[in-house]
Amino acid sequence: MSDPMEFHDRALSLGLARVAEQAALASAKLIGRGDEKAADQAAVNAMRTQLNMLDIAGVVVIGEGERDEAPMLFIGEEVGTGKGPAVDIALDPLEGTTLTAKDMPNALTVIAMGPRGSMLHAPDVYMEKLAVGPGLPDNVVSLDMAPAERVKALAAAKNCSAEDITVCLLERPRHEAMIAELRTTGCAIRLITDGDVAGVIHCAESESTGIDMYMGLGGAPEGVLAAAALKCMGGQMWGRLTFRNDDERGRAAKVGITDLNRVYSRDEMVTQDVIFAATGVTDGSILAGIKREVGFMTTETILMRSKTGSVRRMTYRIPTL
């Protein structure tokens, strides 16, 4: 008989999918309504309620912020019934609050779960990120390379020209110099307004998304979530925390990070097998958004397990009252 206190990823995976689904359904009524905070809060409430139904002793390690910033799903909050395995949880109840409020593509609800101690406790600071998809030589690109070098190295590994490479970045003023350098290679650049977890996932499905590499500065917590997804789908990722002031360096110290210049690989950000679920809120290149019909709502969810490398896509149709 199996130990109920062990992390059984298969048994927990469907429950995790339900968590993502319920958060997406809760935010659906706020798509295109222009209220980011209300959309986020609806997703948070639903995700927390659903998590507390799971037989886990969960701790939120990547969440909505510090306890004094977030009333729910804050970092360190305990969730679940407390009757099952001890697990780490990384979540973003609504990745793309602005995308939801404006009814723009690629808003998702995202959650990952692994055994206790399996995920980097990333402080709420920026992380320099670099990701590529599966099937490439180890360390084919690195954070120590200049952006143009990365494109050339990836093109050489793929036996194609730099003009055949597409790089995804967040459209931000801080990336203007990086974009200008990338342009010198002739590569294509896909700029996204928000949602860099989805941006990294795009690399793992390059045949359908057309994206070969992700790079740039984004939130460190989202970096851990993206690493969890790539651990399931395959692909390489590196992250290096960046600090703008002493307050941010203090946040790192608070979660036990002492080497402020360390480059974390995918498997250093997520050290053990994990499960990952994401549900589409608005239509995107990874998942369909929530569809409304007379009397019904339909969601699409991707559910992945790193242990088996399985990727399951599920639709969930529920009557509306």
Side-chain angles (χ1 to χ4, degrees):
M1 204 171 157
S2 63
D3 183 351
M5 304 311 284
E6 274 183 33
F7 179 71
H8 293 292
D9 63 328
R10 186 170 181 272
L12 288 167
S13 59
L14 192 56
L16 201 71
R18 287 196 186 100
V19 173
E21 285 168 354
Q22 291 303 318
L25 286 165
S27 59
K29 61 183 178 291
L30 290 149
I31 295 169
R33 312 293 173 184
D35 193 336
E36 297 177 21
K37 286 187 177 177
D40 189 49
Q41 192 61 57
V44 168
N45 293 348
M47 188 169 270
R48 185 172 184 258
T49 298
Q50 202 68 31
L51 272 171
N52 282 330
M53 294 179 186
L54 296 181
D55 283 332
I56 54 170
V59 172
V60 176
V61 298
I62 300 291
E64 287 288 278
E66 305 287 339
R67 184 190 296 259
D68 55 355
E69 296 170 12
M72 290 186 202
L73 297 181
F74 55 82
I75 296 162
E77 182 174 358
E78 295 181 2
V79 292
T81 64
K83 294 176 182 173
V87 298
D88 278 357
I89 294 168
L91 52 83
D92 192 340
L94 187 56
E95 213 239 343
T97 54
T98 304
L99 300 177
T100 304
K102 294 181 177 181
D103 196 2
M104 293 169 68
N106 284 316
L108 307 168
T109 60
V110 184
I111 186 163
M113 183 189 294
R116 182 70 50 83
S118 60
M119 296 183 195
L120 175 67
H121 292 218
D124 191 8
V125 299
Y126 279 137
M127 176 185 277
E128 187 183 356
K129 302 172 194 177
L130 178 61
V132 292
L136 293 163
D138 288 345
N139 301 308
V140 62
V141 291
S142 79
L143 284 174
D144 293 327
M145 290 178 175
E149 281 183 80
R150 297 170 189 167
V151 172
K152 291 168 187 171
L154 185 59
K158 290 197 166 198
N159 199 26
C160 66
S161 84
E163 293 178 359
D164 296 321
I165 298 295
T166 299
V167 181
C168 181
L169 293 95
L170 279 170
E171 187 174 16
R172 297 288 187 272
R174 62 180 179 265
H175 290 149
E176 283 172 4
M178 182 179 279
I179 290 166
E181 182 180 334
L182 288 169
R183 294 279 185 218
T184 67
T185 69
C187 74
I189 298 174
R190 186 177 304 178
L191 295 171
I192 56 174
T193 57
D194 290 279
D196 69 346
V197 174
V200 172
I201 292 173
H202 284 145
C203 298
E205 296 195 323
S206 59
E207 286 183 10
S208 58
T209 64
I211 289 172
D212 302 287
M213 180 161 50
Y214 181 91
M215 67 175 79
L217 277 177
E222 290 83 356
V224 177
L225 271 165
L230 279 196
K231 196 173 181 82
C232 297
M233 303 176 87
Q236 301 174 57
M237 182 174 175
W238 303 268
R240 178 164 49 206
L241 301 175
T242 64
F243 305 94
R244 293 172 295 183
N245 50 48
D246 286 340
D247 173 62
E248 292 191 350
R249 283 182 277 274
R251 290 183 192 184
K254 197 173 172 183
V255 295
I257 292 171
T258 53
D259 182 354
L260 302 185
N261 298 309
R262 178 174 173 179
V263 173
Y264 295 90
S265 68
R266 183 199 74 182
D267 291 343
E268 288 169 329
M269 287 189 263
V270 182
T271 61
Q272 298 182 59
D273 280 318
V274 292
I275 46 180
F276 177 97
T279 300
V281 176
T282 57
D283 275 337
S285 41
I286 301 166
L287 289 161
I290 291 168
K291 297 285 181 287
R292 295 172 177 273
E293 305 163 70
V294 177
F296 290 94
M297 291 174 80
T298 304
T299 64
E300 185 183 19
T301 298
I302 190 168
L303 176 63
M304 306 187 285
R305 297 164 59 204
S306 66
K307 189 175 189 177
T308 57
S310 62
V311 177
R312 177 180 276 122
R313 289 179 178 273
M314 305 183 296
T315 55
Y316 173 53
R317 190 166 180 258
I318 183 170
T320 51
L321 300 175

